[in-house]
Amino acid sequence: MPPVIITDKLTKRFGAFVAASELTFQVEKGEIFGFLGANGAGKTTAMRMLCGLLKPSSGKATIAGFDVYTQTEKIKRRIGYMSQKFSLYDDLTVSENIRFYGGIYGMNTKQIKAKTQDLLAELQLENEAKTLVRDLPLGWKQKLAFSVSLVHSPDIVFLDEPTGGVDPVTRRQFWDLIYHAADKGVTVFVTTHYMDEAEYCNRVSIMVDGVIAALDSPANLKQKYNHSNIEDVFYELARKAKRSE
Amino acid sequence: MITLSNIKKTYNKGAVTAVKDINFSVNRGEIFGLIGPDGAGKTTLFRILTTLLLADEGTATVNSFDVVKDYSKIRDCVGYMPGKFSLYQDLTVEENLNFFATVFGTTIKENYNLIKDIYVQIEPFKDRRAGKLSGGMKQKLALCCALIHKPVVLFLDEPTTGVDVVSRKEFWEMLKRLKAQGITILVSTAYMDEAKLCDRIALIQKGGILSIETPAKIVESFPGKLYALKGGKAYQVLEDIRAYSGTESCFAFGDALHVTFKNGQDNGALQYLHEKGHNDVSMEVIPPGIEDCFIHLLKG
């Protein structure tokens, strides 16, 4: 099984500014990969290239076997994306959101209907099918958004700060969903500012000033930098950042 | 410095209760944390105290002024940083700061010493429009604008949500310096590690207060023993220990699982895990953190 994400010196420049510089890494099928970095380190730029939304300046990358320069439409069909900032339509109901995304990804009515029932059952949201998304608590919205990002059974799901602002219990329930998805073979690529969540990843990378400054399993990183937790590892690396946001 | 007495607020003509029976007070020069999930009622309390929202019942004062009768006096003496970025996106950094200074009848120069530490970090971008700033810089500008009239009380509604570890540490350093200058701070956060940086915290859920204590006392009140379970394939171990009859609760915490048992202590869990094929797991008693306590209180 080849890695689902392969990058080789992937770089994005905006004029003279190098937002992401020579990123080289691989992510395996079913892996939970934490993509860490301070605000402004270049995470969003890198993610946009991997999702086929931003053309790299140089370097190579394939996502689910497809090239980020020439096969972006194929990439988009094979990935799911969820961001804390935007994922669901507030003025559509829960089931309308599922139908909308199912439709976008080319599922037929029968498939969508079956998927909707599965999803609502799994999230215990059967009684909320006709509720407007805006009326759901944030934690439920996030869980629903995650499930909707998987509606078309993608190979990879990109999660951009999925758990901001929710309570500790809800945050852990969200990670149960992530584990469950990875267990079924979905590759999870996740950014977070909660460093305890970084520990739940199989491997994490830490970006500083557009460069991947460290990449390993949480246990190996802690050993290498001689800290008892990832927060201290992150702090040691990220505070060296020179470039302002 | 801040008092709330039997505060209640409902929305949608009484159909939704946002907060109820809220009683607490914040002392002068204290950093007081409101800790609770999204939707707990934190923002409602901020809006009542900053005189932007009227409570249905109860009374509240800020700096000895009543939030209803003396609202204009309160507005003069408090700084408020809402959770949602609320500066003018199409004004520059400097224009925003000037605007807020002018509205409060002061100048940037007059209170510059108060914001200096923070403002020097964003000064290189003073001609940039606020809408074009990154999250960390928006946060710093918002704090400057909330401080420019030298308030006696500062209200900060989730100031660090979505901000990275480095900026969060810097932000709390700034709060400590403001406290040292005698400013009273009411701050809400979803980060439990920030709770321990407050002098006292109120845990709030579903519109009610679960507990008000110093962080140390909240940790002391944790019942029973807390165990850290390490090793094995974390997700499988989690599923198995949750299914174990003696387990009360189990949550992932960084690289360990935090477990409590029904009798308050371990009663053969490790043996059970070994039978399930998890041979490389170990377990030890650990002191609980604020997050453990919060999870416990949320469930109780």
Side-chain angles (χ1 to χ4, degrees), chain A residues 166-188:
Chain A
V166 299
D167 67 79
V169 175
T170 308
R171 219 149 56 76
R172 285 171 175 80
Q173 287 168 352
F174 191 91
W175 273 87
D176 283 351
L177 292 178
I178 292 182
Y179 276 128
H180 188 64
D183 211 40
K184 287 195 293 191
V186 179
T187 301
V188 180

PDB file of all heavy atoms in Angstrom, chain A residues 166-188:
ATOM      1  N   VAL A 166     -14.790  23.962  22.450  1.00  0.00           N
ATOM      2  CA  VAL A 166     -15.762  23.064  23.087  1.00  0.00           C
ATOM      3  C   VAL A 166     -15.209  22.525  24.404  1.00  0.00           C
ATOM      4  O   VAL A 166     -14.031  22.631  24.693  1.00  0.00           O
ATOM      5  CB  VAL A 166     -16.194  21.890  22.171  1.00  0.00           C
ATOM      6  CG1 VAL A 166     -16.854  22.405  20.929  1.00  0.00           C
ATOM      7  CG2 VAL A 166     -15.033  20.980  21.851  1.00  0.00           C
ATOM      8  N   ASP A 167     -16.101  21.932  25.202  1.00  0.00           N
ATOM      9  CA  ASP A 167     -15.679  21.480  26.523  1.00  0.00           C
ATOM     10  C   ASP A 167     -14.862  20.187  26.411  1.00  0.00           C
ATOM     11  O   ASP A 167     -14.888  19.511  25.389  1.00  0.00           O
ATOM     12  CB  ASP A 167     -16.905  21.301  27.430  1.00  0.00           C
ATOM     13  CG  ASP A 167     -17.772  20.164  26.967  1.00  0.00           C
ATOM     14  OD1 ASP A 167     -17.428  19.001  27.249  1.00  0.00           O
ATOM     15  OD2 ASP A 167     -18.783  20.425  26.295  1.00  0.00           O
ATOM     16  N   PRO A 168     -14.148  19.845  27.494  1.00  0.00           N
ATOM     17  CA  PRO A 168     -13.237  18.696  27.453  1.00  0.00           C
ATOM     18  C   PRO A 168     -13.919  17.367  27.105  1.00  0.00           C
ATOM     19  O   PRO A 168     -13.325  16.534  26.425  1.00  0.00           O
ATOM     20  CB  PRO A 168     -12.675  18.623  28.876  1.00  0.00           C
ATOM     21  CG  PRO A 168     -12.927  19.937  29.486  1.00  0.00           C
ATOM     22  CD  PRO A 168     -14.070  20.565  28.770  1.00  0.00           C
ATOM     23  N   VAL A 169     -15.148  17.188  27.572  1.00  0.00           N
ATOM     24  CA  VAL A 169     -15.828  15.915  27.291  1.00  0.00           C
ATOM     25  C   VAL A 169     -16.165  15.830  25.802  1.00  0.00           C
ATOM     26  O   VAL A 169     -15.902  14.820  25.143  1.00  0.00           O
ATOM     27  CB  VAL A 169     -17.099  15.763  28.166  1.00  0.00           C
ATOM     28  CG1 VAL A 169     -17.848  14.502  27.787  1.00  0.00           C
ATOM     29  CG2 VAL A 169     -16.729  15.741  29.637  1.00  0.00           C
ATOM     30  N   THR A 170     -16.724  16.910  25.271  1.00  0.00           N
ATOM     31  CA  THR A 170     -17.103  16.926  23.859  1.00  0.00           C
ATOM     32  C   THR A 170     -15.882  16.760  22.957  1.00  0.00           C
ATOM     33  O   THR A 170     -15.923  16.084  21.937  1.00  0.00           O
ATOM     34  CB  THR A 170     -17.838  18.243  23.520  1.00  0.00           C
ATOM     35  OG1 THR A 170     -18.891  18.410  24.439  1.00  0.00           O
ATOM     36  CG2 THR A 170     -18.388  18.219  22.119  1.00  0.00           C
ATOM     37  N   ARG A 171     -14.779  17.392  23.380  1.00  0.00           N
ATOM     38  CA  ARG A 171     -13.547  17.292  22.610  1.00  0.00           C
ATOM     39  C   ARG A 171     -13.103  15.822  22.514  1.00  0.00           C
ATOM     40  O   ARG A 171     -12.656  15.356  21.468  1.00  0.00           O
ATOM     41  CB  ARG A 171     -12.464  18.101  23.342  1.00  0.00           C
ATOM     42  CG  ARG A 171     -11.546  18.868  22.473  1.00  0.00           C
ATOM     43  CD  ARG A 171     -11.040  20.141  23.130  1.00  0.00           C
ATOM     44  NE  ARG A 171     -10.380  20.029  24.410  1.00  0.00           N
ATOM     45  CZ  ARG A 171      -9.124  19.583  24.565  1.00  0.00           C
ATOM     46  NH1 ARG A 171      -8.421  19.194  23.531  1.00  0.00           N
ATOM     47  NH2 ARG A 171      -8.593  19.529  25.755  1.00  0.00           N
ATOM     48  N   ARG A 172     -13.229  15.114  23.616  1.00  0.00           N
ATOM     49  CA  ARG A 172     -12.811  13.703  23.613  1.00  0.00           C
ATOM     50  C   ARG A 172     -13.774  12.834  22.806  1.00  0.00           C
ATOM     51  O   ARG A 172     -13.361  11.882  22.162  1.00  0.00           O
ATOM     52  CB  ARG A 172     -12.668  13.206  25.042  1.00  0.00           C
ATOM     53  CG  ARG A 172     -11.400  13.770  25.652  1.00  0.00           C
ATOM     54  CD  ARG A 172     -11.268  13.513  27.119  1.00  0.00           C
ATOM     55  NE  ARG A 172      -9.960  13.986  27.566  1.00  0.00           N
ATOM     56  CZ  ARG A 172      -9.659  15.234  27.832  1.00  0.00           C
ATOM     57  NH1 ARG A 172     -10.563  16.181  27.667  1.00  0.00           N
ATOM     58  NH2 ARG A 172      -8.457  15.571  28.226  1.00  0.00           N
ATOM     59  N   GLN A 173     -15.055  13.186  22.862  1.00  0.00           N
ATOM     60  CA  GLN A 173     -16.013  12.436  22.029  1.00  0.00           C
ATOM     61  C   GLN A 173     -15.665  12.624  20.559  1.00  0.00           C
ATOM     62  O   GLN A 173     -15.780  11.699  19.756  1.00  0.00           O
ATOM     63  CB  GLN A 173     -17.448  12.927  22.291  1.00  0.00           C
ATOM     64  CG  GLN A 173     -17.978  12.480  23.635  1.00  0.00           C
ATOM     65  CD  GLN A 173     -19.261  13.204  24.011  1.00  0.00           C
ATOM     66  OE1 GLN A 173     -19.682  14.159  23.339  1.00  0.00           O
ATOM     67  NE2 GLN A 173     -19.878  12.761  25.081  1.00  0.00           N
ATOM     68  N   PHE A 174     -15.229  13.837  20.226  1.00  0.00           N
ATOM     69  CA  PHE A 174     -14.831  14.106  18.846  1.00  0.00           C
ATOM     70  C   PHE A 174     -13.647  13.224  18.458  1.00  0.00           C
ATOM     71  O   PHE A 174     -13.604  12.653  17.364  1.00  0.00           O
ATOM     72  CB  PHE A 174     -14.467  15.587  18.693  1.00  0.00           C
ATOM     73  CG  PHE A 174     -14.295  16.009  17.271  1.00  0.00           C
ATOM     74  CD1 PHE A 174     -15.367  16.497  16.550  1.00  0.00           C
ATOM     75  CD2 PHE A 174     -13.063  15.888  16.637  1.00  0.00           C
ATOM     76  CE1 PHE A 174     -15.222  16.866  15.222  1.00  0.00           C
ATOM     77  CE2 PHE A 174     -12.907  16.259  15.314  1.00  0.00           C
ATOM     78  CZ  PHE A 174     -13.986  16.752  14.606  1.00  0.00           C
ATOM     79  N   TRP A 175     -12.693  13.087  19.370  1.00  0.00           N
ATOM     80  CA  TRP A 175     -11.532  12.243  19.068  1.00  0.00           C
ATOM     81  C   TRP A 175     -11.913  10.769  18.971  1.00  0.00           C
ATOM     82  O   TRP A 175     -11.273  10.010  18.235  1.00  0.00           O
ATOM     83  CB  TRP A 175     -10.395  12.494  20.077  1.00  0.00           C
ATOM     84  CG  TRP A 175      -9.565  13.631  19.588  1.00  0.00           C
ATOM     85  CD1 TRP A 175      -9.776  14.951  19.812  1.00  0.00           C
ATOM     86  CD2 TRP A 175      -8.438  13.539  18.698  1.00  0.00           C
ATOM     87  NE1 TRP A 175      -8.843  15.692  19.130  1.00  0.00           N
ATOM     88  CE2 TRP A 175      -8.007  14.852  18.454  1.00  0.00           C
ATOM     89  CE3 TRP A 175      -7.750  12.477  18.109  1.00  0.00           C
ATOM     90  CZ2 TRP A 175      -6.917  15.137  17.626  1.00  0.00           C
ATOM     91  CZ3 TRP A 175      -6.665  12.756  17.298  1.00  0.00           C
ATOM     92  CH2 TRP A 175      -6.269  14.074  17.054  1.00  0.00           C
ATOM     93  N   ASP A 176     -12.941  10.359  19.699  1.00  0.00           N
ATOM     94  CA  ASP A 176     -13.436   8.986  19.517  1.00  0.00           C
ATOM     95  C   ASP A 176     -13.842   8.770  18.065  1.00  0.00           C
ATOM     96  O   ASP A 176     -13.583   7.723  17.482  1.00  0.00           O
ATOM     97  CB  ASP A 176     -14.638   8.717  20.434  1.00  0.00           C
ATOM     98  CG  ASP A 176     -14.216   8.476  21.885  1.00  0.00           C
ATOM     99  OD1 ASP A 176     -12.997   8.341  22.131  1.00  0.00           O
ATOM    100  OD2 ASP A 176     -15.099   8.424  22.758  1.00  0.00           O
ATOM    101  N   LEU A 177     -14.493   9.786  17.484  1.00  0.00           N
ATOM    102  CA  LEU A 177     -14.909   9.685  16.075  1.00  0.00           C
ATOM    103  C   LEU A 177     -13.688   9.605  15.165  1.00  0.00           C
ATOM    104  O   LEU A 177     -13.676   8.847  14.186  1.00  0.00           O
ATOM    105  CB  LEU A 177     -15.759  10.893  15.660  1.00  0.00           C
ATOM    106  CG  LEU A 177     -17.150  11.049  16.275  1.00  0.00           C
ATOM    107  CD1 LEU A 177     -17.796  12.332  15.765  1.00  0.00           C
ATOM    108  CD2 LEU A 177     -18.027   9.856  15.925  1.00  0.00           C
ATOM    109  N   ILE A 178     -12.662  10.371  15.473  1.00  0.00           N
ATOM    110  CA  ILE A 178     -11.438  10.358  14.665  1.00  0.00           C
ATOM    111  C   ILE A 178     -10.781   8.973  14.718  1.00  0.00           C
ATOM    112  O   ILE A 178     -10.448   8.386  13.683  1.00  0.00           O
ATOM    113  CB  ILE A 178     -10.437  11.438  15.150  1.00  0.00           C
ATOM    114  CG1 ILE A 178     -10.992  12.841  14.857  1.00  0.00           C
ATOM    115  CG2 ILE A 178      -9.069  11.250  14.473  1.00  0.00           C
ATOM    116  CD1 ILE A 178     -10.060  13.979  15.239  1.00  0.00           C
ATOM    117  N   TYR A 179     -10.640   8.450  15.935  1.00  0.00           N
ATOM    118  CA  TYR A 179     -10.067   7.107  16.088  1.00  0.00           C
ATOM    119  C   TYR A 179     -10.858   6.077  15.291  1.00  0.00           C
ATOM    120  O   TYR A 179     -10.310   5.207  14.633  1.00  0.00           O
ATOM    121  CB  TYR A 179     -10.079   6.689  17.564  1.00  0.00           C
ATOM    122  CG  TYR A 179      -8.912   7.185  18.373  1.00  0.00           C
ATOM    123  CD1 TYR A 179      -9.118   7.874  19.573  1.00  0.00           C
ATOM    124  CD2 TYR A 179      -7.595   6.939  17.984  1.00  0.00           C
ATOM    125  CE1 TYR A 179      -8.054   8.316  20.335  1.00  0.00           C
ATOM    126  CE2 TYR A 179      -6.528   7.382  18.743  1.00  0.00           C
ATOM    127  CZ  TYR A 179      -6.756   8.068  19.919  1.00  0.00           C
ATOM    128  OH  TYR A 179      -5.709   8.502  20.675  1.00  0.00           O
ATOM    129  N   HIS A 180     -12.177   6.195  15.411  1.00  0.00           N
ATOM    130  CA  HIS A 180     -13.057   5.250  14.742  1.00  0.00           C
ATOM    131  C   HIS A 180     -12.846   5.292  13.225  1.00  0.00           C
ATOM    132  O   HIS A 180     -12.738   4.256  12.572  1.00  0.00           O
ATOM    133  CB  HIS A 180     -14.504   5.593  15.101  1.00  0.00           C
ATOM    134  CG  HIS A 180     -15.501   4.588  14.632  1.00  0.00           C
ATOM    135  ND1 HIS A 180     -15.527   3.284  15.100  1.00  0.00           N
ATOM    136  CD2 HIS A 180     -16.489   4.669  13.704  1.00  0.00           C
ATOM    137  CE1 HIS A 180     -16.497   2.622  14.496  1.00  0.00           C
ATOM    138  NE2 HIS A 180     -17.085   3.439  13.644  1.00  0.00           N
ATOM    139  N   ALA A 181     -12.761   6.506  12.677  1.00  0.00           N
ATOM    140  CA  ALA A 181     -12.560   6.667  11.234  1.00  0.00           C
ATOM    141  C   ALA A 181     -11.199   6.089  10.812  1.00  0.00           C
ATOM    142  O   ALA A 181     -11.091   5.375   9.812  1.00  0.00           O
ATOM    143  CB  ALA A 181     -12.655   8.144  10.844  1.00  0.00           C
ATOM    144  N   ALA A 182     -10.164   6.383  11.601  1.00  0.00           N
ATOM    145  CA  ALA A 182      -8.823   5.892  11.266  1.00  0.00           C
ATOM    146  C   ALA A 182      -8.782   4.369  11.335  1.00  0.00           C
ATOM    147  O   ALA A 182      -8.133   3.703  10.518  1.00  0.00           O
ATOM    148  CB  ALA A 182      -7.795   6.497  12.226  1.00  0.00           C
ATOM    149  N   ASP A 183      -9.499   3.836  12.313  1.00  0.00           N
ATOM    150  CA  ASP A 183      -9.583   2.389  12.480  1.00  0.00           C
ATOM    151  C   ASP A 183     -10.165   1.723  11.220  1.00  0.00           C
ATOM    152  O   ASP A 183      -9.814   0.610  10.868  1.00  0.00           O
ATOM    153  CB  ASP A 183     -10.487   2.099  13.687  1.00  0.00           C
ATOM    154  CG  ASP A 183     -10.077   0.834  14.403  1.00  0.00           C
ATOM    155  OD1 ASP A 183      -8.855   0.604  14.536  1.00  0.00           O
ATOM    156  OD2 ASP A 183     -10.971   0.070  14.825  1.00  0.00           O
ATOM    157  N   LYS A 184     -11.054   2.453  10.546  1.00  0.00           N
ATOM    158  CA  LYS A 184     -11.669   1.927   9.322  1.00  0.00           C
ATOM    159  C   LYS A 184     -10.821   2.206   8.085  1.00  0.00           C
ATOM    160  O   LYS A 184     -11.224   1.919   6.959  1.00  0.00           O
ATOM    161  CB  LYS A 184     -13.078   2.518   9.136  1.00  0.00           C
ATOM    162  CG  LYS A 184     -14.082   1.929  10.124  1.00  0.00           C
ATOM    163  CD  LYS A 184     -15.518   2.220   9.727  1.00  0.00           C
ATOM    164  CE  LYS A 184     -15.865   3.686   9.822  1.00  0.00           C
ATOM    165  NZ  LYS A 184     -17.308   3.943   9.685  1.00  0.00           N
ATOM    166  N   GLY A 185      -9.648   2.830   8.290  1.00  0.00           N
ATOM    167  CA  GLY A 185      -8.720   3.017   7.169  1.00  0.00           C
ATOM    168  C   GLY A 185      -8.670   4.414   6.584  1.00  0.00           C
ATOM    169  O   GLY A 185      -7.924   4.669   5.642  1.00  0.00           O
ATOM    170  N   VAL A 186      -9.452   5.341   7.150  1.00  0.00           N
ATOM    171  CA  VAL A 186      -9.391   6.719   6.657  1.00  0.00           C
ATOM    172  C   VAL A 186      -8.130   7.382   7.223  1.00  0.00           C
ATOM    173  O   VAL A 186      -7.826   7.234   8.406  1.00  0.00           O
ATOM    174  CB  VAL A 186     -10.633   7.526   7.102  1.00  0.00           C
ATOM    175  CG1 VAL A 186     -10.551   8.966   6.608  1.00  0.00           C
ATOM    176  CG2 VAL A 186     -11.907   6.859   6.618  1.00  0.00           C
ATOM    177  N   THR A 187      -7.408   8.080   6.376  1.00  0.00           N
ATOM    178  CA  THR A 187      -6.246   8.829   6.832  1.00  0.00           C
ATOM    179  C   THR A 187      -6.716  10.175   7.368  1.00  0.00           C
ATOM    180  O   THR A 187      -7.528  10.847   6.723  1.00  0.00           O
ATOM    181  CB  THR A 187      -5.273   9.056   5.661  1.00  0.00           C
ATOM    182  OG1 THR A 187      -4.890   7.770   5.168  1.00  0.00           O
ATOM    183  CG2 THR A 187      -4.044   9.832   6.104  1.00  0.00           C
ATOM    184  N   VAL A 188      -6.248  10.552   8.558  1.00  0.00           N
ATOM    185  CA  VAL A 188      -6.711  11.793   9.185  1.00  0.00           C
ATOM    186  C   VAL A 188      -5.539  12.765   9.287  1.00  0.00           C
ATOM    187  O   VAL A 188      -4.513  12.456   9.884  1.00  0.00           O
ATOM    188  CB  VAL A 188      -7.303  11.516  10.582  1.00  0.00           C
ATOM    189  CG1 VAL A 188      -7.775  12.817  11.223  1.00  0.00           C
ATOM    190  CG2 VAL A 188      -8.439  10.506  10.496  1.00  0.00           C
TER     191      VAL A 188
END
